[in-house]
């Protein structure tokens, strides 16, 4: 594990900062009514672009303007603790002469969507050349035809993408998106609270009387429902509306029986460590950090399968430095470069060859199965399918009713 990191939040352990300000924390404290109001205010729909691929393009200024504008999530890239600079970005500029205007203004998918919606609806420049959206938001952006197709000639390193993430349902072959970082969703538990019992399945999580009232699920619909679908023997990448309704029914029954303590973002970490939470649905990125202080905490990827999510590079319509954005993506798809990022953020790298680099530079990170899962574990990971606009609205409403009901 990397040594102490920059600490922008006073009094908080530096290596936990990434989790505490992640995209998955922001909405966790909102009740269902507040969350629904937020979505209504931000707007989850938009007017699709119906023109040609060429009509989505601006005159590319990349060769004349040696700059690229990148929006990303907070605390999601390597940082030098002494200088507070970002070493890999500094090296990219030195290598290419391209300055990166790196902005940490992507705090939530829907809120960011609301920022760029007016420009994209008008097929106008957003002022950004590239940003990183979560799978389901990428699905929406592709559905609305608001992102541009990559010129793979500028991205030869994109062939280093791990095989399991090449053909996702929302972007087969990765013409419009490519992962920045990934993570798994599984089950975490505190053996001191469960009496040493392992919590290994979704059915056990939702029915075991030994942990009744001390179970939390995630406010991220695709993670929670995805694991339930897998427990039902369904594929989250291809399921019916009835399958979704059956999953919501299972969750509702568990809630009505008092099995659940509630729904959370990644603030479950404190409760899991203290014993207030016996078991929960949890993300690998959080568990890596939690186990640093509580090595006895258990984490299981269910035998029925687990969810994998990614935050993905996309290039919006009318971006003025498209080529420079593609060169930036290509740079990070070099194993040597991505290894420097992973040594800091501790998520699952989407780039082949990163582990081999870290075996030499940081063996502890290279040996962590939550950062570098085996091929067999990777093969049992599932991406939630892309939804239609109608499905997205109906599924979100049903899930928010479950949380708040």
């Amino acid at each position: 594990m990397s040594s102490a990191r920059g600490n922008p939040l006073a009094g908080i352990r530096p290596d936990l900062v990434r989790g505490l300000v992640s995209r998955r924390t922001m909405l966790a404290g909102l009740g269902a009514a507040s969350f629904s109001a937020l979505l209504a205010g931000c707007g989850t729909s938009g007017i699709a672009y119906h023109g040609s691929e060429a009509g989505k393009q601006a005159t590319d200024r990349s060769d004349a303007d040696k700059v690229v504008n990148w929006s990303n999530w907070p605390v999601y890239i390597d940082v030098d603790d002494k200088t507070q600079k970002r070493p890999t970005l500094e090296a990219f500029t030195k290598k290419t002469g391209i300055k990166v205007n790196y902005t940490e203004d992507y705090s939530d998918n829907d809120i960011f969507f609301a920022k760029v919606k007016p420009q994209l609806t008008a097929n106008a420049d957003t002022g950004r050349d590239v940003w990183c959206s979560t799978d389901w938001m990428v699905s929406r952006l592709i559905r609305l035809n608001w992102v541009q197709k990559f010129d793979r000639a500028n991205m030869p390193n994109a062939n280093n993408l791990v095989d399991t993430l090449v053909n996702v349902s929302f972007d087969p072959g990765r013409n419009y998106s490519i992962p920045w970082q990934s993570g798994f969703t599984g089950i975490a538990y505190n053996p001191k609270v469960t009496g040493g019992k392992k919590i290994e399945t979704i059915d056990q999580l939702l029915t075991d009387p030994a942990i009744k009232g001390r179970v939390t699920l995630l406010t991220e619909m695709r993670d929670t429902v995805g694991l339930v679908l897998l427990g039902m023997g369904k594929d989250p990448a291809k399921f019916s509306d009835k399958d979704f309704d059956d999953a919501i029914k299972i969750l509702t029954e568990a809630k009505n029986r008092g099995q659940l303590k509630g729904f959370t973002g990644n603030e479950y970490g404190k409760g899991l460590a203290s014993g207030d939470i016996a078991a929960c649905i949890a993300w690998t990125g959080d568990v890596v950090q939690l186990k640093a202080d509580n090595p006895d905490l258990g984490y299981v990827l269910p035998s029925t399968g687990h969810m994998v999510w990614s935050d993905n590079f996309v290039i919006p319509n009318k971006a003025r430095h498209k080529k420079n954005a593609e060169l930036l993506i290509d740079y990070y798809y070099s194993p040597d470069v991505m290894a420097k990022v992973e040594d800091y953020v501790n998520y699952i790298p989407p780039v082949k060859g990163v582990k081999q680099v870290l075996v030499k530079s940081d063996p502890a990170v290279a040996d962590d199965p939550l950062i570098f899962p085996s091929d067999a574990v990777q093969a049992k990971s599932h991406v939630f399918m892309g939804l239609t606009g109608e499905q997205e609205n109906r599924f979100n409403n049903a899930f928010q009713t479950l949380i708040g009901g």
Side-chain angles (χ1 to χ4, degrees):
M1 195 71 63
S2 301
S3 58
R5 301 168 183 165
N7 187 2
L9 301 179
I12 299 177
R13 246 182 60 199
D15 59 339
L16 295 178
V17 171
R18 164 71 184 116
L20 289 172
V21 298
S22 81
R23 60 200 177 287
R24 302 169 190 276
T25 303
M26 184 171 181
L27 299 179
L30 295 174
S34 298
F35 183 80
S36 298
L38 174 61
L39 290 185
C42 292
T44 59
S45 61
I47 300 174
Y49 172 75
H50 296 292
S52 65
E53 189 71 26
K56 297 157 63 173
Q57 300 172 6
T59 299
D60 197 335
R61 302 178 181 177
S62 292
D63 290 339
D65 297 341
K66 293 296 184 179
V67 67
V68 61
N69 301 302
W70 178 10
S71 286
N72 204 1
W73 303 86
V75 199
Y76 210 18
I77 197 170
D78 54 307
V79 176
D80 185 302
D81 297 329
K82 295 180 180 179
T83 66
Q84 293 303 300
K85 292 183 179 180
R86 302 176 178 98
T88 56
L89 286 182
E90 297 280 315
F92 173 75
T93 298
K94 184 176 181 179
K95 177 181 179 180
T96 64
I98 300 169
K99 177 185 177 183
V100 183
N101 293 322
Y102 185 82
T103 308
E104 294 181 324
D105 62 344
Y106 202 123
S107 60
D108 170 78
N109 281 292
D110 274 311
I111 291 174
F112 188 84
F113 180 83
K115 291 180 183 179
V116 298
K117 178 180 175 180
Q119 292 84 8
L120 291 171
T121 297
N123 198 33
D125 176 32
T126 65
R128 300 167 174 88
D129 300 305
V130 64
W131 63 65
C132 297
S133 289
T134 308
D135 294 325
W136 61 268
M137 180 55 72
V138 173
S139 177
R140 182 192 295 176
L141 293 170
I142 292 174
R143 189 177 72 232
L144 292 170
N145 205 17
W146 283 359
V147 290
Q148 297 188 59
K149 189 173 183 178
F150 294 138
D151 182 349
R152 296 296 284 259
N154 295 324
M155 301 166 51
N157 284 333
N159 292 326
N160 291 328
L161 175 62
V162 296
D163 295 340
T164 53
L165 294 178
V166 172
N167 287 305
V168 291
S169 63
F170 57 83
D171 187 15
R174 292 291 186 175
N175 292 308
Y176 295 92
S177 67
I178 194 165
W180 163 242
Q181 299 293 317
S182 299
F184 288 155
T185 308
I187 300 171
Y189 62 94
N190 187 329
K192 293 181 180 178
V193 181
T194 64
K197 178 190 292 187
K198 292 183 178 180
I199 309 299
E200 300 180 296
T201 69
I202 287 296
D203 181 68
Q204 188 180 6
L205 190 72
L206 298 179
T207 63
D208 192 332
I211 55 175
K212 183 176 181 179
R214 291 180 293 175
V215 171
T216 62
L217 309 180
L218 290 170
T219 52
E220 288 275 350
M221 180 266 289
R222 290 160 179 81
D223 289 308
T224 293
V225 173
L227 284 181
V228 174
L229 286 168
L230 286 167
M232 295 164 52
K234 305 295 182 179
D235 183 356
K238 187 179 181 181
F239 62 90
S240 68
D241 286 7
K242 183 181 182 300
D243 293 334
F244 178 86
D245 292 339
D246 289 344
I248 292 294
K249 182 179 179 181
I250 289 171
L251 290 165
T252 300
E253 290 173 351
K255 181 178 180 180
N256 291 341
R257 289 195 308 270
Q259 184 74 8
L260 307 182
K261 180 180 177 68
F263 293 81
T264 74
N266 61 353
E267 74 275 14
Y268 57 73
K270 182 178 180 181
L272 186 66
S274 70
D276 290 339
I277 296 172
C280 60
I281 295 179
W283 293 298
T284 48
D286 294 331
V287 175
V288 169
Q289 302 298 350
L290 290 170
K291 286 175 73 69
D293 280 344
N294 299 275
D296 293 333
L297 291 179
Y299 190 75
V300 172
L301 296 172
S303 60
T304 50
H306 50 275
M307 302 304 296
V308 59
W309 55 265
S310 299
D311 292 325
N312 308 269
F313 287 112
V314 293
I315 298 176
N317 291 359
K318 297 299 183 180
R320 297 185 179 185
H321 307 95
K322 181 174 183 286
K323 178 182 176 182
N324 288 347
E326 290 162 345
L327 293 175
L328 176 77
I329 295 168
D330 185 70
Y331 167 77
Y332 277 102
Y333 263 69
S334 165
D336 288 338
V337 176
M338 185 58 76
K340 293 180 174 66
V341 177
E342 295 311 329
D343 204 32
Y344 189 88
V345 302
N346 294 163
Y347 278 81
I348 298 174
V351 177
K352 295 176 182 177
V354 172
K355 180 173 182 176
Q356 288 82 348
V357 175
L358 285 170
V359 163
K360 298 177 181 178
S361 62
D362 196 338
V365 169
D367 290 341
D368 193 323
L370 296 182
I371 301 173
F372 292 97
S374 67
D375 290 344
V377 170
Q378 291 272 25
K380 299 194 72 172
S381 63
H382 298 261
V383 176
F384 202 89
M385 74 177 187
L387 303 178
T388 66
E390 188 278 331
Q391 285 176 320
E392 188 172 29
N393 289 331
R394 191 173 82 81
F395 291 1
N396 281 338
N397 288 337
F399 191 67
Q400 294 309 314
T401 297
L402 166 71
I403 291 177

